[in-house]
Amino acid sequence: MTATPMSEASVAGDGAAGPAPHWPMPPQDGWTVDDLFTLPDLPPHTELIDGSLVFVSPQREFHTLTLYLLEHGLRTDVPEHFRVRREMAVVLTSKTVPEPDLVVVRAEAANDCNRTRYDAPDVVLAVEVVSPESEERDRDTKPRKYAAAGIPHFWRVEKTGEQNQPVVYVYELDPATRAYAVTGIHHNRLKVSVPFDISIDLTAIDRM
């Protein structure tokens, strides 16, 4: 959801009234990437979409387990010239800085342990695990913006079936249209050859 100013008093842990967090009013043209990394006391994993701050809800167990499963699978197969990173900000434009659940980045961009963000050209794959409160962003807003920024590969992961197993929708960028085209829908095993050879048993989530 987008952030809104908060000025009402809250109840402190000892029962006394105390000030609630207070977010400054956004500029007329919206927040920028510089604001995102300098505003004090923002909640962890805050994103910037079209100049608006987006706060992330607590993760559900499906989200956490799916991230672990995919991250482990990617790290098992990743070649030397790529690196796998989890929940890192990616600067797409001056007013849009999402935080994909997982990214595969070029190794030369991952040489500073103090970095807080990647630029879009550093990223070869962005992965989003859809949550109920982020469906519109993960299914529409973010893929469009990742494609416009030139990120060549995108995975959208959804919960499906009675067993709540992940299904992975795999997209590849069409450079002529700067839009994603779906190249596969993977239910039990995710097996692809780009951006590198990857094979992940999606049913393994039942044993986690």
Side-chain angles (χ1 to χ4, degrees):
M1 63 180 179
T2 54
T4 54
M6 301 172 63
S7 58
E8 296 82 1
S10 64
V11 177
D14 59 1
H22 181 81
W23 309 120
M25 292 297 295
Q28 182 176 356
D29 295 330
W31 300 113
T32 68
V33 59
D34 292 333
D35 297 321
L36 178 66
F37 292 101
T38 57
L39 282 171
D41 303 322
L42 286 179
H45 309 297
T46 299
E47 298 180 297
L48 181 69
I49 305 294
D50 292 330
S52 295
L53 298 174
V54 178
F55 297 164
V56 179
S57 300
Q59 290 185 359
R60 290 168 169 78
E61 185 172 85
F62 170 81
H63 193 279
T64 299
L65 294 179
T66 299
L67 275 187
Y68 177 83
L69 177 67
L70 296 178
E71 181 182 13
H72 177 74
L74 286 168
R75 291 189 182 279
T76 297
D77 296 323
V78 68
E80 282 296 316
H81 55 283
F82 290 143
R83 298 288 186 270
V84 180
R85 297 292 183 261
R86 179 170 175 160
E87 296 171 329
M88 288 287 291
V90 176
V91 178
L92 303 183
T93 71
S94 64
K95 293 186 178 180
T96 297
V97 188
E99 187 179 285
D101 290 311
L102 291 167
V103 290
V104 174
V105 299
R106 304 180 198 282
E108 60 268 23
N111 56 7
D112 181 0
C113 64
N114 293 316
R115 79 160 48 240
T116 58
R117 71 201 82 170
Y118 291 103
D119 294 323
D122 301 330
V123 180
V124 296
L125 168 66
V127 181
E128 295 286 0
V129 179
V130 177
S131 299
E133 63 278 2
S134 67
E135 286 180 354
E136 183 174 352
R137 292 193 303 274
D138 292 342
R139 292 174 177 174
D140 179 53
T141 305
K142 287 186 179 182
R144 285 190 291 103
K145 293 183 178 299
Y146 292 149
I151 294 176
H153 302 280
F154 172 69
W155 296 353
R156 190 184 88 243
V157 188
E158 305 256 4
K159 183 171 62 175
T160 187
E162 294 181 359
Q163 301 302 315
N164 293 325
Q165 290 185 346
V167 55
V168 182
Y169 296 79
V170 173
Y171 298 84
E172 188 169 343
L173 184 66
D174 180 342
T177 63
R178 302 285 283 190
Y180 286 129
V182 64
T183 60
I185 303 174
H186 303 259
H187 289 267
N188 295 316
R189 177 170 292 276
L190 171 60
K191 189 174 179 64
V192 295
S193 59
V194 289
F196 52 91
D197 289 331
I198 302 166
S199 181
I200 301 174
D201 179 9
L202 300 176
T203 67
I205 196 172
D206 294 335
R207 304 187 292 275
M208 296 172 65

